[in-house]
Amino acid sequence: MTNVIQNPAIDTGILAIARNSLVSEAVKTGDLIQGYADAICSVFNRRDTDGNTIAFWYDLVGKEKKGIKAERALFNNAFMDRDSKFIKETKADGTRIPTGTVDTYWSRMKEASGYVPTGRVTGGTDVDSKTMAELKTMINRILKSEEDGQDCNASMFKGNLMEVFEGMGGDVDTLG
C-alpha cells in the first residue's frame, strides 16, 4: 500500500466548497418541494364555499383522483425526460417506469402537503394488527394494478381479502 500525503489546506478547501454547494442546493430543493406541494394543494384540495379545506388531494379516491394521477404521470415523465438515469425500465410497449428516486421526491412533496405517512404497523404489534396492515397493503396493491389497467390473478381474490379485512374490523372505504 502506498502512503499518500494529503495537503489538509487543499482538501479542506475542496471539501468546504463541495459541502457548501450541496447544502445550498439541498435547501433550495426543500423550498422547491414545498412550492410544488403548495401548488398541488391549491389546485387539487377540495374546498367549501368559504375556502376551508374539506378534503386533501392525497385523500381523494375514484374519479376525484383522476387529476392527481395525470399530474403524477407528468411529474414522472418530467424526471425521465430530463435524464435517463430516472428510468428504471422500459416495457415492451414503450411504457417507462420511473426509479425509486422519483417516487421519493413525490413522497417528499406529499408530506410537504401535510400527508402523514402511516409507516409500518401502527396501533399494535399483535398478530391481528399486523395481519390487518398486511391485508390492507395487499388489497391496495390489487386496486392500484386494476386502476392502472393491469390484469392480475390476485383480482379474483380481492373480494375475499376485503371480506376478511372487514371481518377483522377494517373499513373497506379507506382502501385505495
Side-chain angles (χ1 to χ4, degrees), residues 2 13 21 24 31 40 50 63 69 73-75 82 89 95 105 111 117 124 127-128 140 151 153-155 168-169 172:
T2 307
S21 294
S24 173
D31 291 342
I40 290 277
D50 295 326
K63 292 179 184 177
K69 288 180 72 170
L74 291 169
F75 178 86
R82 178 70 180 219
E89 71 175 283
T95 304
Y105 277 112
E111 289 178 37
V127 172
D128 287 343
N140 283 336
D151 292 327
N153 293 332
S155 290
M168 293 182 69
V172 293

Side-chain angles (χ1 to χ4, degrees), residues 34-153:
Q34 186 62 59
Y36 184 51
D38 292 345
I40 290 277
C41 289
S42 71
V43 172
F44 293 110
N45 281 357
R46 298 292 180 246
R47 300 183 189 284
D48 63 16
T49 55
D50 295 326
N52 300 313
T53 301
I54 56 174
F56 294 99
W57 67 267
Y58 45 80
D59 290 330
L60 300 177
V61 294
K63 292 179 184 177
E64 289 185 326
K65 192 175 177 179
K66 188 175 182 178
I68 291 295
K69 288 180 72 170
E71 180 58 30
R72 175 70 189 264
L74 291 169
F75 178 86
N76 290 349
N77 285 329
F79 268 95
M80 293 184 292
D81 291 346
R82 178 70 180 219
D83 194 326
S84 63
K85 73 179 180 184
F86 294 114
I87 301 172
K88 180 178 179 180
E89 71 175 283
T90 303
K91 295 188 174 187
D93 66 357
T95 304
R96 300 177 304 172
I97 307 298
T99 62
T101 302
V102 178
D103 294 335
T104 299
Y105 277 112
W106 184 262
S107 294
R108 288 178 63 192
M109 183 278 302
K110 191 173 178 179
E111 289 178 37
S113 297
Y115 177 77
V116 178
T118 55
R120 298 289 184 252
V121 177
T122 57
T125 55
D126 60 86
V127 172
D128 287 343
S129 295
K130 289 179 181 179
T131 302
M132 289 276 293
E134 290 168 2
L135 280 168
K136 186 171 185 174
T137 299
M138 289 188 297
I139 295 166
N140 283 336
R141 187 178 305 123
I142 295 166
L143 291 171
K144 172 82 169 100
S145 72
E146 290 174 347
E147 280 182 13
D148 293 343
Q150 299 173 356
D151 292 327
C152 64
N153 293 332

